[in-house]
Amino acid sequence: MIALSIYSPIDSPLAREVRERLSAAPREPVTLRVHSPGGELFAALAIHAALRAHAGRVTALVEGVAASAASIIVMAADEIEIAENGYLMIHDPSMTAAGGGDDLRHAAELVERTREQLVGIYASRATVDRERIAEMMQGETWLDARQAVDAGLADRITEGRRVAASWRASDHFEHPPKTLENQPMAATAQEIKAACPKASAEFVLSQVMAEATVDEARASWLDEREKALEARERRAPGVDGLADTGRVTNSAGDGEPDEFAELVNAEIEKGLDRISAVARVGRRRPDLHAAFVSSSNSSSARVQGLIAERFAQ
């Protein structure tokens, strides 16, 4: 089995990679997962040709969006599945040209020939005629899963998938469905490093591979930090008085520690253990935590430091 994923804009290096992967196992079945805004048309046509020439069966899975050139690649599959919340987008090709009149005329002729080629690719699968395909391309048509199947551009609908995009539809197209603008954006490694200071390289890589958003990556990082700090706190000298399951009391009789203790006890009653309750209240009321720690653990500066680490999260 050859597993291919196209989750980025399409370019020539991607076309070379796909061709090399297919050449290495010429008779293996292929599963192609797609969530792409498209990209270089001729790179997409090269991938389409390579998939069509491949001896093994090709199954394409539109997991989010197969737009523009990406939809051309999908058309090469023997079977096309589309997630129930997925989209196919087809439109006319375009290009940037410069030069004299002959250069511009040649460019226009190339665009028109390419357009006819694309109409033929879509029409070879579609249940609608070439004229309807041409109309749909001219208008930048976005097909949801049901419309794609009804038009014959997909074979069946699969369960919806939650996909984090690494691109925003409105940056590429004029009329994307509004639902696409609400899709979460997968974070880059740089964004994860900025949101999760001192996170390990392994953690950053795991979040990139999971296509986590910035918020999801930070939540995972905070959860890991919380667990690590909790383990350290329970091993720290002087922490025993905080780690038992009873209520927090203030032996010094100071008003501020009393208020802190009341807030901590309220969290304990909700089901938190004592250390987590102290940490949670401390993050909310850092003005009270020093007095509490000083009065209840005056001999353990280490405990105060560990709790302060949590407040910084």
Side-chain angles (χ1 to χ4, degrees):
M1 169 70 73
I2 302 173
L4 300 175
S5 294
I6 299 179
Y7 260 59
S8 62
I10 296 157
D11 56 17
S12 295
L14 175 64
R16 286 195 297 272
E17 179 186 347
V18 170
R19 185 175 292 277
E20 289 170 0
R21 294 279 305 280
L22 296 176
S23 298
R27 297 189 178 279
E28 287 293 309
V30 176
T31 297
L32 171 66
R33 300 179 182 275
V34 178
H35 179 50
S36 170
E40 298 176 13
L41 175 57
F42 292 108
L45 288 172
I47 296 173
H48 179 277
L51 290 170
R52 292 294 297 168
H54 187 70
R57 181 175 178 79
V58 178
T59 301
L61 310 174
V62 179
E63 296 192 325
V65 174
S68 186
S71 67
I72 293 294
I73 292 174
V74 168
M75 293 300 114
D78 297 297
E79 182 178 21
I80 301 173
E81 299 179 353
I82 182 169
E84 62 184 354
N85 58 341
Y87 287 91
L88 278 170
M89 190 279 278
I90 64 176
H91 67 168
D92 282 344
S94 62
M95 68 178 296
T96 300
D102 287 343
D103 296 318
L104 297 179
R105 278 189 288 274
H106 290 157
E109 291 171 2
L110 176 60
V111 169
E112 186 57 33
R113 289 199 304 271
T114 304
R115 181 176 184 274
E116 288 302 307
Q117 182 181 3
L118 301 186
V119 170
I121 288 173
Y122 292 122
S124 66
R125 297 194 67 106
T127 54
V128 296
D129 58 28
R130 288 179 62 95
E131 289 71 20
R132 177 56 184 150
I133 290 293
E135 290 174 2
M136 293 166 68
M137 289 173 59
Q138 187 175 19
E140 186 187 298
T141 300
W142 291 81
L143 302 166
D144 63 25
R146 175 47 56 193
Q147 291 169 332
V149 170
D150 289 346
L153 298 179
D155 297 301
R156 66 189 188 92
I157 299 172
T158 62
E159 183 179 355
R161 292 172 169 82
R162 184 266 191 209
V163 179
S166 57
W167 47 272
R168 194 175 301 279
S170 59
D171 293 341
H172 298 266
F173 309 111
E174 294 184 6
H175 309 296
K178 291 183 178 179
T179 53
L180 291 182
E181 293 304 284
N182 296 324
Q183 282 194 341
M185 297 288 288
T188 64
Q190 290 75 18
E191 290 170 335
I192 294 172
K193 289 177 183 177
C196 309
K198 300 182 181 179
S200 67
E202 291 79 8
F203 174 84
V204 173
L205 178 61
S206 71
Q207 296 303 301
V208 171
M209 295 297 291
E211 296 171 358
T213 65
V214 170
D215 289 342
E216 289 170 342
R218 181 165 175 78
S220 296
W221 177 67
L222 289 176
D223 185 56
E224 285 195 4
R225 275 184 54 114
E226 187 82 7
K227 292 176 181 177
L229 284 169
E230 193 169 291
R232 289 171 58 194
E233 287 164 356
R234 293 190 182 280
R235 295 194 301 267
V239 80
D240 294 343
L242 286 175
D244 64 19
T245 57
R247 293 172 65 83
V248 170
T249 60
N250 169 34
S251 59
D254 193 312
E256 287 187 351
D258 276 343
E259 183 180 355
F260 192 94
E262 290 174 3
L263 294 173
V264 171
N265 289 331
E267 295 297 329
I268 291 173
E269 290 173 0
K270 295 177 183 178
L272 284 184
D273 62 80
R274 182 172 294 193
I275 291 176
S276 297
V278 169
R280 176 176 292 183
V281 176
R283 282 193 290 267
R284 297 172 181 169
R285 295 297 305 274
D287 55 318
L288 298 179
H289 95 273
F292 166 76
V293 174
S294 177
S295 65
S296 59
N297 294 276
S298 57
S299 64
S300 180
R302 172 64 173 154
V303 172
Q304 183 169 347
L306 285 168
I307 293 175
E309 282 192 58
R310 287 199 181 195
F311 304 154
Q313 293 183 15

